[in-house]
């Protein structure tokens, strides 16, 4: 593809209006309750006292806290599973609108039910509804930007997506900070901010067209070419060439407008191989145990001996590492850095971070300096996570094709949200059962992904989609680094 063949300004608007509101909504929703845990405790305790004339027992509070935090992930898991069904009846654009309607509805349930009546049932139900939005949003948005973007810029926009997700986390922590909205009187402001992200996308959706592949599936090549003309700056020859590639990726022997089924992906060796890589790339984002940080970093730092006035600013400082790392890596990847090597480095750093956090939690009582070191430990862990977070989306876009991407993203997102729920739900119980050693469980999973990345994922920098797929067509006997460079890239 010629370098002068590029996205139009309109395409840039479509990509950014799809990526940023959705990414901010997802990451904000995950992180914003972290500093609000003391506020939620007081609300739940007040409601329980009114209902039972007694203080909220510790075991009941632990159960309610884990349900409140993890119900978002259960909703996201359900949303990711429902996504494939919706994809058969609705367009990508319509699903993304529904995503933001669900997000706003979930926060509205919490605002009315808990804000007015103090109901913890409403809080939990509202988190589930918002979770549906997370599952749908994380599934449909990568489809939209991978299908809408000019092929040689997909890696860049995958990294933009990862950067936007990383940026939403400190935004959520900031607005939930007690000095902003994180108090008993102002906590509803935290929810209103997230509604704003959804409102922005819904307004922008009036000017967003469907993706070229969606247009091809629904209306044929003529409509797909019309959409490409709006999204691209280039010659008719360039447009015709991309259309041919789109038709080739989207066609099957029996139905020229279909995408691959799950059975076809599993039974076709080439598809199955990059399906496994894509699912692992998504899974490691949450299987690494990062929800321990998103949900409970204030408590982790408090358990390590930091005072209550320090924990939220410390968490906010750690979370800022995410977008900074993502921006730097976006520049490096855009200049030809190898994503696979960044993935390997990120996994290695996270493993060290797991061990460092465990050491701090296990020794802070005997070694007071470990309380301060815990901030550095969490920062190291999150730095490694920021690396794999952005690269996982880059790798996913690089190793999948239009024909298999919906199935890969459906199962990958479901796996991501399953691990997100597992980590969010079980982390408080790990604290009870095994004390400071909970992070070692997630370290084992990260080691597994590290080994897989070393031996079974190809280099993708400077390779065309055909060259990358050649690796999967020939099987995994070839070295992961041996896919040849495209001399034109």
């Amino acid at each position: 593809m010629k370098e002068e063949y590029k996205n139009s300004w309109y395409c840039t608007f479509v990509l950014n209006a799809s990526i940023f509101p959705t990414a901010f909504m997802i990451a904000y929703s995950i992180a914003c309750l972290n500093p609000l845990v003391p506020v939620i405790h007081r609300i739940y305790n007040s409601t329980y006292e009114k209902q039972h004339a007694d203080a909220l027992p510790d075991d009941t509070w632990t159960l309610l806290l884990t349900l409140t935090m993890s119900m978002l992930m259960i909703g996201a898991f359900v949303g990711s599973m429902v996504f494939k069904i919706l994809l058969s009846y609705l367009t990508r654009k319509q699903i993304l609108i529904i995503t933001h309607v669900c997000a706003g509805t979930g926060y509205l349930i919490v605002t009315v039910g808990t804000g007015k009546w103090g109901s913890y049932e409403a809080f939990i139900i509202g988190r589930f509804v918002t979770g549906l939005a997370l599952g749908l949003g994380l599934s449909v948005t990568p489809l939209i930007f991978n299908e809408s973007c000019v092929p040689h810029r997909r890696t860049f926009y995958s990294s933009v997506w990862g950067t936007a997700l990383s940026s939403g986390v400190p935004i959520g922590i900031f607005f939930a900070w007690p000095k902003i909205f994180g108090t008993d009187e102002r906590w509803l402001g935290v929810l209103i901010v997230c509604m704003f992200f959804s409102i922005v996308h819904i307004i922008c959706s009036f000017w967003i067209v469907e993706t070229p592949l969606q247009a091809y599936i629904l209306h044929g090549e003529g409509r797909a070419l019309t959409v490409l003309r709006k999204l691209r700056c280039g010659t008719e020859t360039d447009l015709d060439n991309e259309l041919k590639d789109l038709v080739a990726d989207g066609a099957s022997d029996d139905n020229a407008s279909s995408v691959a089924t799950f059975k076809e992906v599993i039974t076709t060796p080439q598809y199955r191989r990059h399906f496994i890589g894509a699912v692992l790339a998504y899974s490691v984002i949450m299987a690494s145990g990062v929800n321990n940080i998103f949900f409970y970093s204030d408590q982790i730092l408090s358990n390590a001996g930091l005072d209550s006035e320090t924990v939220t600013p410390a968490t906010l400082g750690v979370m800022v590492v995410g977008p900074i790392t993502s921006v730097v890596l976006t520049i490096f990847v855009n200049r030809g850095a190898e994503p696979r090597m960044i993935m390997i480095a990120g996994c290695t750093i996270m493993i060290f971070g797991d061990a460092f956090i465990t050491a701090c939690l296990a020794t802070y009582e005997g070694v007071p300096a470990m309380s301060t070191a815990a901030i550095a430990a969490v920062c190291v862990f999150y730095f490694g996570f920021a690396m794999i977070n952005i690269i996982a989306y880059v790798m996913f876009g690089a190793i999948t094709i239009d024909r298999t991407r919906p199935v890969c993203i459906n199962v990958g997102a479901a796996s991501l949200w399953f691990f997100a729920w597992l980590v969010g739900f079980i982390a408080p119980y790990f604290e009870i059962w095994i004390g400071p050693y909970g992070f070692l469980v997630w370290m084992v999973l990260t080691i597994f992904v590290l080994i897989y990345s070393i031996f079974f994922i190809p280099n993708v920098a400077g390779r065309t989609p055909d060259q990358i797929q050649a690796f999967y067509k020939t099987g995994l006997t070839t070295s992961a680094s041996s896919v040849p460079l495209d001399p034109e890239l």
Side-chain angles (χ1 to χ4, degrees):
M1 196 68 67
K2 296 179 181 179
E3 191 64 32
E4 61 266 19
Y5 185 55
K6 60 184 180 180
N7 295 323
S8 66
W9 283 107
Y10 172 74
C11 182
T12 301
F13 161 75
V14 170
L15 295 170
N16 290 322
S18 301
I19 289 173
F20 282 98
T22 310
F24 286 166
M25 179 272 294
I26 291 172
Y28 185 100
S29 298
I30 293 173
C32 69
L33 292 197
N34 186 344
L36 287 181
V37 169
V39 176
I40 296 171
H41 188 198
R42 288 190 288 270
I43 293 172
Y44 285 7
N45 186 62
S46 175
T47 301
Y48 190 90
E49 285 183 339
K50 291 177 183 178
Q51 294 176 348
H52 303 279
D54 195 8
L56 181 67
D58 289 343
D59 57 345
T60 304
W61 160 240
T62 300
L63 177 61
L64 289 174
L65 176 63
T66 55
L67 284 175
T68 301
M69 293 300 196
S70 65
M71 193 57 68
L72 184 77
M73 305 309 167
I74 295 176
F77 178 80
V78 173
S80 65
M81 298 303 293
V82 170
F83 168 70
K84 189 66 168 63
I85 300 173
L86 293 180
L87 204 58
S88 301
Y89 300 97
L90 301 174
T91 66
R92 278 85 161 140
K93 174 182 174 180
Q94 291 168 339
I95 294 174
L96 194 54
I97 292 173
I98 291 173
T99 294
H100 286 282
V101 170
C102 283
T105 301
Y107 280 112
L108 192 61
I109 291 172
V110 176
T111 300
V112 175
T114 307
K116 185 173 178 61
W117 296 300
S119 168
Y120 36 72
E121 295 89 350
F123 210 133
I124 293 170
I125 292 171
R127 291 282 282 177
F128 176 82
V129 175
T130 300
L132 294 174
L134 270 63
L136 293 173
L138 196 72
S139 298
V140 73
T141 310
L143 279 186
I144 290 174
F145 67 72
N146 275 298
E147 293 176 7
S148 299
C149 182
V150 68
H152 64 265
R153 294 288 284 172
R154 287 174 182 169
T155 297
F156 171 76
Y157 277 99
S158 294
S159 60
V160 170
W161 169 245
T163 301
L165 285 169
S166 296
S167 300
V169 174
I171 293 173
I173 297 294
F174 175 77
F175 281 107
W177 188 14
K179 294 185 180 295
I180 308 299
F181 290 132
T183 66
D184 293 354
E185 297 79 19
R186 301 193 300 268
W187 68 273
L188 292 177
V190 177
L191 311 184
I192 294 172
V193 172
C194 195
M195 292 183 192
F196 171 77
F197 301 139
S198 295
I199 291 171
V200 168
H201 176 77
I202 291 172
I203 293 173
C204 291
S205 66
F206 288 101
W207 294 278
I208 294 177
V209 296
E210 291 297 345
T211 69
L213 180 62
Q214 183 79 75
Y216 168 68
I217 292 173
L218 294 178
H219 306 292
E221 293 185 26
R223 176 59 181 166
L225 186 59
T226 300
V227 172
L228 281 173
R229 288 193 179 105
K230 293 190 68 174
L231 297 175
R232 302 286 183 264
C233 291
T235 66
E236 285 297 316
T237 301
D238 291 324
L239 293 171
D240 289 339
N241 288 337
E242 184 173 355
L243 182 62
K244 289 177 182 177
D245 291 340
L246 184 151
V247 172
D249 280 347
S252 67
D253 294 337
D254 59 344
N255 186 346
S257 64
S258 71
V259 295
T261 63
F262 178 76
K263 180 180 179 180
E264 187 178 357
V265 169
I266 293 300
T267 57
T268 304
Q270 173 194 347
Y271 295 168
R272 182 174 63 248
R273 290 167 187 142
H274 71 230
F275 167 80
I276 293 171
V279 171
L280 277 178
Y282 259 50
S283 298
V284 70
I285 293 173
M286 288 299 177
S288 63
V290 73
N291 264 6
N292 272 339
I293 305 299
F294 288 155
F295 286 175
Y296 307 114
S297 61
D298 278 20
Q299 291 178 277
I300 291 171
L301 294 175
S302 179
N303 290 343
L306 267 69
D307 62 82
S308 59
E309 294 294 323
T310 305
V311 290
T312 298
T315 293
L316 181 59
V318 169
M319 297 307 175
V320 171
V321 170
I324 294 174
T325 302
S326 297
V327 169
V328 172
L329 289 180
T330 297
I331 296 172
F332 284 164
V333 170
N334 200 40
R335 293 183 177 180
E338 175 51 54
R340 172 174 161 269
M341 299 308 298
I342 298 175
M343 174 74 84
I344 292 171
C347 288
T348 303
I349 292 171
M350 286 195 73
I351 292 167
F352 176 74
D354 285 319
F356 195 1
I357 292 173
T358 301
C360 291
L361 292 175
T363 62
Y364 78 93
E365 291 181 342
V367 185
M370 282 303 206
S371 297
T372 304
I375 299 175
V378 173
C379 191
V380 169
F381 175 90
Y382 195 66
F383 174 63
F385 166 77
M387 294 177 71
I388 68 168
N389 179 55
I390 186 172
I391 294 304
Y393 299 112
V394 172
M395 295 297 298
F396 177 88
I399 67 179
T400 58
I401 59 176
D402 285 343
R403 176 157 171 70
T404 61
R405 195 170 289 120
V407 172
C408 291
I409 203 169
N410 182 227
V411 179
S415 176
L416 180 152
W417 293 121
F418 169 77
F419 280 108
W421 165 79
L422 181 65
V423 175
F425 184 83
I426 207 169
Y429 291 102
F430 273 178
E431 183 181 344
I432 296 171
W433 298 335
I434 57 179
Y437 302 103
F439 274 86
L440 298 182
V441 176
W442 316 119
M443 184 174 74
V444 172
L445 295 176
T446 308
I447 291 172
F448 173 77
V449 175
L450 172 63
I451 294 172
Y452 188 90
S453 300
I454 292 172
F455 294 105
F456 300 110
I457 291 181
N459 289 341
V460 299
R463 277 80 175 174
T464 66
D466 287 342
Q467 290 172 320
I468 295 170
Q469 290 308 308
F471 169 81
Y472 291 108
K473 287 178 182 177
T474 57
L476 302 179
T477 56
T478 307
S479 169
S481 62
S482 65
V483 180
L485 283 168
D486 181 356
E488 296 184 2
L489 292 181

